[in-house]
Amino acid sequence: MMSTLGKTRFPDIVNRCQPQLLADWVQNQLSAASFNNGLMRESELREQSRQFLHALGEAVEHGDLTDIEESHWDETREFLAAVSRSRALQGFTPNQTAMFVFSLKQPLFQLLRQELEKQPEALIDEILSITRLLDQLGLHTTEIYQKNREEIIYQQQQELMELSTPVVQLWQNILALPLIGTLDSARTQVVMETLLQKIVDTNAAIAIIDITGVPTVDTLVAQHLLKTVAAARLMGADCIISGIRPQIALTIVHLGVDLTDVITKATLADAFAIALQRTGASVAAAERA
Amino acid sequence: MERIPILQMGPFLLVSIQVDMHDQLAMTLQDDLTEQIVKARAKGVVIDISSLEVVDSFIGRILGNMAAMARVLDAETVVVGMQPAVAITLVELGLSLPGIRTALNIEKGMALLRHKLDAGGHRC
């Protein structure tokens, strides 16, 4: 389409009027209500804008403005991706991130208007092609932003998963597994794997599962607990479930969950005492001299 | 024919399964073990499955059967050294092997049996 129009003025304007364009654009972004001053310094914004205009200027020199997937747009796309990534980390909203590109339209159109005052038709054609280009670039930013956000969420999920299942060694041959938060199937799997691996590593004979931090115990959670206990038993380690609060004891009985095969204790201290007794160890107060 | 060795250690028998168990091998082991228990007048059996990476429902059942048969012949069975992955799989399959005693390794399994034997000795 560009070729039928003959020569477009866009590359010429971007490269010739770059300083003025940059000044107007930055001014525009700073004055926009959506720009959050707390998240980013003005100098950083100015630098990003300058680099983007520079990359854009280089890319449009190659002529084709219709498809940003082509190779001469690589640099521009990569730069935008970097901007998008850093903004996602800085806590910008998707709107604010996309506005980085879209806000270039206003100063650009103003310049074009001055340049092409006498040729309204050419002006409209220019505006059309530039809008199409900037829209593509803007959407590209949003897409990258979205991807980054998803990555961050996934990463946090993973970290949370690891954080929430520590297995600690209380004594020789005694492990404790303080569970905090709701138990679902995925977490039970992780809990089971870490516990069993730790049993192998430490040669533990007894594992105490403390459920003080588990807010509710329904049939599913109870089933998951029983599975963990059964798996530990298959490995040759006994399990004690501790930290059962009164309400939870109530629900367990109301639900008809059978915990008779498992040793249960109200507090971790009680469970620890039993575990010590079973492993043949004992704790006594030191005699005073 | 391929067989799994059964070793005698004092009053106990030690079965160490080092190869992948297929069904025929498991059946043969079951026969051999019962014969050996009678022949050696064993009081306990330790089955080491620490090299087994796959235990399916059939092998799980065979383990249960062996323990039950040994008990009829007055010998306690301890399965030792189960891998974490195997334990998880068995539990997910719904096989928690209720009749079988377990221990973490051979040493602990032997200690468990010896403890049982001593406790039983006082009774008769």
Side-chain angles (χ1 to χ4, degrees):
Chain A
M1 189 180 126
M2 228 15 69
S3 54
T4 57
L5 268 176
K7 200 169 166 303
T8 165
R9 302 287 300 276
F10 183 41
D12 176 45
I13 288 175
V14 168
N15 287 320
R16 186 161 47 82
C17 309
Q18 217 173 77
Q20 197 200 336
L21 194 55
L22 177 65
D24 287 354
W25 186 27
V26 171
Q27 196 52 47
N28 205 336
Q29 291 184 75
L30 286 174
S31 60
S34 66
F35 185 76
N36 195 336
N37 267 322
L39 296 175
M40 196 179 186
R41 278 197 312 279
E42 191 189 323
S43 56
E44 198 183 344
L45 177 70
R46 196 174 290 278
E47 181 58 23
Q48 273 184 358
S49 305
R50 194 191 62 74
Q51 283 180 10
F52 175 66
L53 274 186
H54 182 71
L56 184 71
E58 301 240 308
V60 292
E61 279 293 314
H62 288 81
D64 189 9
L65 303 183
T66 48
D67 188 9
I68 64 158
E69 297 301 323
E70 284 187 29
S71 62
H72 58 270
W73 285 100
D74 279 353
E75 198 192 331
T76 319
R77 269 188 287 121
E78 269 160 34
F79 177 70
L80 271 183
V83 168
S84 191
R85 214 166 288 141
S86 75
R87 291 198 172 196
L89 286 174
Q90 280 166 328
F92 280 81
T93 65
N95 270 352
Q96 288 168 334
T97 311
M99 277 313 280
F100 173 69
V101 175
F102 290 143
S103 61
L104 178 60
K105 280 183 188 175
Q106 202 187 342
L108 201 54
F109 291 169
Q110 261 167 9
L111 271 176
L112 272 174
R113 198 160 82 182
Q114 285 164 18
E115 291 276 326
L116 298 169
E117 221 172 357
K118 300 284 185 291
Q119 303 152 267
E121 279 180 15
L123 178 63
I124 287 176
D125 285 338
E126 289 283 357
I127 287 180
L128 247 178
S129 68
I130 293 172
T131 305
R132 192 173 295 149
L133 172 70
L134 288 183
D135 284 356
Q136 283 186 54
L137 289 172
L139 288 176
H140 178 70
T141 340
T142 316
E143 198 184 314
I144 298 283
Y145 180 91
Q146 200 88 6
K147 260 187 210 153
N148 280 310
R149 263 297 154 89
E150 274 161 25
E151 258 168 44
I152 293 172
I153 291 172
Y154 178 73
Q155 213 176 332
Q156 284 173 343
Q157 219 171 14
Q158 289 294 315
E159 277 168 18
L160 206 64
M161 195 85 116
E162 282 163 22
L163 273 181
S164 60
T165 52
V167 183
V168 291
Q169 185 160 20
L170 283 185
W171 206 265
Q172 201 184 352
N173 292 337
I174 302 175
L175 292 180
L177 179 70
L179 287 179
I180 292 166
T182 324
L183 270 183
D184 55 15
S185 313
R187 230 188 120 196
T188 313
Q189 190 75 21
V190 177
V191 167
M192 222 192 263
E193 278 168 20
T194 39
L195 177 66
L196 297 192
Q197 194 52 52
K198 196 81 175 179
I199 288 176
V200 173
D201 292 346
T202 59
N203 260 337
I206 292 186
I208 302 171
I209 303 177
D210 186 75
I211 57 166
T212 314
V214 180
T216 49
V217 174
D218 53 17
T219 40
L220 205 65
V221 173
Q223 201 202 345
H224 286 147
L225 280 175
L226 287 175
K227 265 189 190 172
T228 313
V229 173
R233 200 194 68 82
L234 280 178
M235 301 264 311
D238 280 330
C239 271
I240 303 175
I241 296 180
S242 76
I244 301 175
R245 280 171 283 129
Q247 308 96 297
I248 288 186
L250 219 63
T251 16
I252 286 178
V253 172
H254 278 306
L255 289 171
V257 176
D258 187 18
L259 284 180
T260 43
D261 295 338
V262 189
I263 312 164
T264 51
K265 290 284 168 210
T267 62
L268 183 61
D270 290 344
F272 186 45
I274 283 281
L276 280 176
Q277 196 189 331
R278 288 215 170 178
T279 53
S282 65
V283 178
E287 275 183 43
R288 297 196 174 206
Chain B
M1 204 179 90
E2 196 180 10
R3 270 169 199 273
I4 292 170
I6 300 171
L7 313 172
Q8 186 169 3
M9 287 179 73
F12 307 129
L13 293 180
L14 175 60
V15 182
S16 183
I17 302 172
Q18 307 276 353
V19 291
D20 273 343
M21 285 274 264
H22 51 79
D23 296 359
Q24 188 54 49
L25 195 60
M27 299 294 286
T28 318
L29 175 65
Q30 197 175 310
D31 295 346
D32 288 355
L33 185 63
T34 41
E35 267 175 41
Q36 279 292 322
I37 292 173
V38 175
K39 211 196 250 174
R41 298 176 63 194
K43 291 288 166 208
V45 180
V46 177
I47 303 175
D48 173 30
I49 57 167
S50 56
S51 343
L52 271 193
E53 294 191 348
V54 181
V55 172
D56 59 13
S57 53
F58 182 76
I59 304 296
R61 216 183 72 215
I62 291 285
L63 286 174
N65 284 354
M66 286 198 285
M69 288 167 191
R71 195 170 306 119
V72 174
L73 298 167
D74 191 28
E76 284 281 345
T77 305
V78 185
V79 171
V80 302
M82 190 181 290
Q83 301 272 343
V86 172
I88 293 173
T89 320
L90 281 182
V91 169
E92 295 294 340
L93 284 173
L95 285 169
S96 50
L97 307 179
I100 302 181
R101 291 180 174 281
T102 50
L104 204 58
N105 49 38
I106 294 190
E107 199 184 336
K108 287 194 174 182
M110 284 287 183
L112 186 75
L113 284 179
R114 212 163 286 136
H115 186 73
K116 281 273 155 200
L117 195 63
D118 291 348
H122 292 294
R123 240 187 288 136
C124 48

